[in-house]
Amino acid sequence: MASRVSEQHIDPWQLIAEHQAAHRQNGQFGAAASFIGTMRDFSERQNLSKMTLEHYPAMTGQYLEKLEQEAREQWPLQDCLIVHRVGDIYPGDAIVIIACWSAHRRAALDACNWLIEELKYRAPFWKQEFNPEGAHWVEENTNGHSSN
Amino acid sequence: MSIQVKFFASLREKIGKAEVELATASNAGDAWAQATDNAPRPDNVLVAINLDYAKFDSVVKDGDEVAFFPPVTGG
């Protein structure tokens, strides 16, 4: 199991490369799929300068583990990495990393897609955006299972 | 023993408190009513009991943690 929350800045490419080097043996996996969510400086509001990600610490830890477990039950994954930021985040910063490794491409791609959509729908994180007009809570995520 | 009630994100700001301790509560809806002094409950409020999603008619027992929060917006 490799799912966690980070209060510190994360470098997604470095984390994925380090995880693969530490846990996967060359020749044993045929596919790696990843999703990296990054903060923009716009949403429904413009000129965002910062975002604060709040979470429900005890529940998020449990939920990320549960999502990884459910993905492993649905697809023949060899490995999985989920890291989600909390705290203050700035435009260009990574918010979330999901990476899946499998023997064949379909399992890694489908599991990665399912994990990000489930995470956005179920894991207890909340975004508060800041721009020159003040602070605003993001009210809901778009439904990526059927659109976007 | 008691029941711990927690509020998160915009709901915490709206209710004006992060945590409330109750002596007893019959279900999650009752915990909301007691902890918020009968504040109206927005339609989209989610509830978790002991870290698992629950319903407002889910039974609450002594020692439980009941959390109320708005729709999640991570990722």
Side-chain angles (χ1 to χ4, degrees), chain A residues 54 56 84 122 125 127 137, chain B residues 9 12-13 53 65 70 73 75:
Chain A
E54 178 178 331
Y56 181 1
H84 201 295
R122 292 163 63 189
F125 295 96
K127 289 176 180 145
W137 289 100
Chain B
R12 180 188 63 248
E13 293 183 353
Y53 282 108
E65 178 171 299
T73 56

Side-chain angles (χ1 to χ4, degrees), chain A residues 124-136:
Chain A
F125 295 96
W126 301 277
K127 289 176 180 145
Q128 189 177 35
E129 299 173 337
F130 294 79
N131 74 357
E133 292 157 23
H136 307 271

Side-chain angles (χ1 to χ4, degrees), chain A residues 60 63-64 67 118-125, chain B residues 53 72-74:
Chain A
T60 35
Y63 251 79
L64 294 184
L67 286 177
E118 287 295 303
L119 183 152
K120 288 180 83 87
Y121 184 65
R122 292 163 63 189
F125 295 96
Chain B
Y53 282 108
V72 301
T73 56

